[in-house]
Amino acid sequence: SQRPVYLYTETIRHAISMGEALQQPVSVCPYPVFGVKGDTDQEREIPYPDKFIVGMLGGGRRDKGFQRVPDIIQSYNSKAQGDCRVEFLIQAPRRQDKLESEVQTLSSISNVRILENKIDENQYRELLQSCHVMLFPYKEEIYHSRGSGVLWEAVANGIPFVCTKNTSLEDGFLSKNGCSASLIPEFSEALIKILRNWMLFKRNAFNAAALYRSRLENHPVVENVRIYRN
């Protein structure tokens, strides 16, 4: 039997509607076809960056572990000891999450740039593609069986990532293209490991993107989606 493919929708309501239209099961799990880039050749030359950008995009929320981000960055800065130039690119949280204290702490860290909570799609794509590593310290109890569209965008674009252990986010490790962590020190150590071995992780991330694209392009359910969209 074939392995199931989960089609991406943002809400359960959209999943039900799409499933009925396609006569195929659709889950609220992120495998976004629109995020796949054509340029994922792992054999191309990979320039070593003068400065690394670690991104946490998609809008900060408590369920995404935003409250842990200041401690993770401070832990990284303390342990890395100037290994390489790193800038953390953090999308601001929503007002209703009441994370003003965390934002204030982040604002005081010299290698952090805070983005607006809402950015347009073109800017989002430019920012995503500028990142060398993505950070997903999402809550284990919430994301144990819940996916992330931003994470799969990272996979599709060949970007290594760090995510929370024992979550569905680890499904994105298709080719040793990242690390998982639980405690704050583990997140900072995972970032250090990837940045110190970035060329290896980047090539693995290209491999993962190519594998991801192949699975999407060759699966009959995806072909049904193409027919439905056209």
Side-chain angles (χ1 to χ4, degrees):
S1 61
Q2 292 181 320
R3 296 181 64 183
V5 169
Y6 299 94
L7 304 180
Y8 172 77
T9 70
E10 288 287 350
T11 68
I12 293 175
R13 176 171 57 85
H14 291 155
I16 293 172
S17 298
M18 184 178 285
E20 290 175 347
L22 295 175
Q23 296 184 340
Q24 297 283 349
V26 176
S27 298
V28 188
C29 291
Y31 282 75
V33 176
F34 63 81
V36 180
K37 291 176 62 182
D39 186 11
T40 55
D41 182 5
Q42 68 267 30
E43 298 303 324
R44 72 181 181 177
E45 183 179 353
I46 303 174
Y48 195 85
D50 295 328
K51 178 177 71 173
F52 287 98
I53 297 178
V54 177
M56 186 175 174
L57 304 179
R61 300 200 305 261
R62 288 191 177 274
D63 62 292
K64 292 184 175 182
F66 189 90
Q67 59 272 33
R68 297 206 287 172
V69 174
D71 289 337
I72 290 172
I73 294 175
Q74 289 173 331
S75 175
Y76 169 85
N77 287 341
S78 174
K79 292 180 179 180
Q81 298 178 344
D83 268 4
C84 53
R85 292 178 61 206
V86 175
E87 179 182 43
F88 290 88
L89 200 60
I90 310 296
Q91 196 166 344
R94 308 170 302 179
R95 286 186 178 180
Q96 59 262 43
D97 280 324
K98 299 181 179 180
L99 291 162
E100 291 83 0
S101 175
E102 287 79 2
V103 172
Q104 185 175 4
T105 300
L106 288 170
S107 300
S108 69
I109 303 174
S110 61
N111 61 337
V112 170
R113 179 155 64 104
I114 300 177
L115 306 170
E116 297 291 330
N117 174 254
K118 294 184 179 180
I119 55 180
D120 64 42
E121 183 177 345
N122 290 333
Q123 184 185 11
Y124 163 76
R125 293 188 181 282
E126 289 178 6
L127 290 167
L128 176 72
Q129 292 167 12
S130 74
C131 292
H132 299 96
V133 183
M134 292 289 287
L135 177 64
F136 301 96
Y138 294 5
K139 285 189 174 182
E140 178 183 343
E141 60 271 25
I142 295 176
Y143 283 86
H144 179 74
S145 57
R146 175 179 173 182
S148 164
V150 181
L151 183 140
W152 286 100
E153 289 275 22
V155 173
N157 283 277
I159 304 172
F161 66 92
V162 178
C163 71
T164 305
K165 286 182 180 177
N166 302 318
T167 63
S168 66
L169 308 181
E170 292 179 301
D171 291 347
F173 294 143
L174 302 182
S175 183
K176 299 182 179 179
N177 50 313
C179 300
S180 58
S182 293
L183 304 176
I184 285 171
E186 294 174 352
F187 275 97
S188 61
E189 289 163 7
L191 287 172
I192 290 172
K193 179 179 179 179
I194 291 177
L195 293 176
R196 286 180 178 174
N197 301 278
W198 186 76
M199 299 294 281
L200 172 62
F201 276 95
K202 186 62 176 177
R203 290 196 181 277
N204 288 346
F206 280 144
N207 288 335
L211 179 59
Y212 170 78
R213 183 178 59 184
S214 175
R215 289 181 180 179
L216 284 175
E217 290 178 348
N218 296 319
H219 199 283
V221 175
V222 176
E223 181 60 27
N224 287 339
V225 174
R226 291 197 183 102
I227 294 171
Y228 173 67
R229 291 175 67 182
N230 292 328

